[in-house]
Amino acid sequence: LKLTERLIGVSASTSQVSLMAALVLAVTPAPPLALSLACAAAAAAYSAVLLRAYLVGPIIGALSNRVAAVPLAASAASAAILALAPGGRAARVAAAATPLATALCALYARRALDGLRARFIYTEEAKALQIS
């Protein structure tokens, strides 16, 4: 339950920060390379946190590996596009798409983890009723 609650907090923060970064990168005529790379690194880190928790934690069935891996794939694609065409239109789109994909995945993950948290609490309450 503690891991699930921690991941809910991480997902909530990630969705908010990623959405703000996507908005900044979308409206900036020439997004700074450092900000684009920071967004890609943050997306990969969030994905790694989810994938690691999925493998070693109790959230099996709450969140698909595919959902957890989307930010990692988006950051890899963004980094490749930034390396190949750093000043082009594709780089601008990729720079904004990475935090947007991360925000959407974080929102979905938070919803799924909230459901898992509710199931944990229900199970614990049911056990307590059986004992008494």
Side-chain angles (χ1 to χ4, degrees):
L1 184 61
K2 287 181 184 180
L3 175 62
T4 303
E5 289 174 342
R6 192 180 89 214
L7 289 174
I8 289 170
V10 168
S11 294
S13 300
T14 300
S15 65
Q16 293 169 359
V17 171
S18 295
L19 191 55
M20 287 186 279
L23 289 172
V24 167
L25 289 169
V27 299
T28 304
L33 182 62
L35 180 59
S36 300
L37 292 175
C39 288
Y46 174 69
S47 188
V49 165
L50 286 182
L51 289 170
R52 182 173 178 269
Y54 185 81
L55 294 175
V56 301
I59 65 168
I60 295 172
L63 194 61
S64 167
N65 268 344
R66 281 183 236 146
V67 173
V70 166
L72 181 63
S75 68
S78 177
I81 291 170
L82 288 170
L84 296 174
R89 181 179 172 100
R92 184 173 174 209
V93 170
T98 299
L100 182 61
T102 304
L104 293 174
C105 286
L107 287 170
Y108 181 84
R110 181 173 180 199
R111 184 173 160 254
L113 292 168
D114 278 335
L116 180 66
R117 181 180 174 273
R119 285 193 308 253
F120 279 150
I121 291 171
Y122 176 78
T123 303
E124 291 301 317
E125 288 174 353
K127 285 180 189 177
L129 286 174
Q130 286 179 351
I131 293 173
S132 60

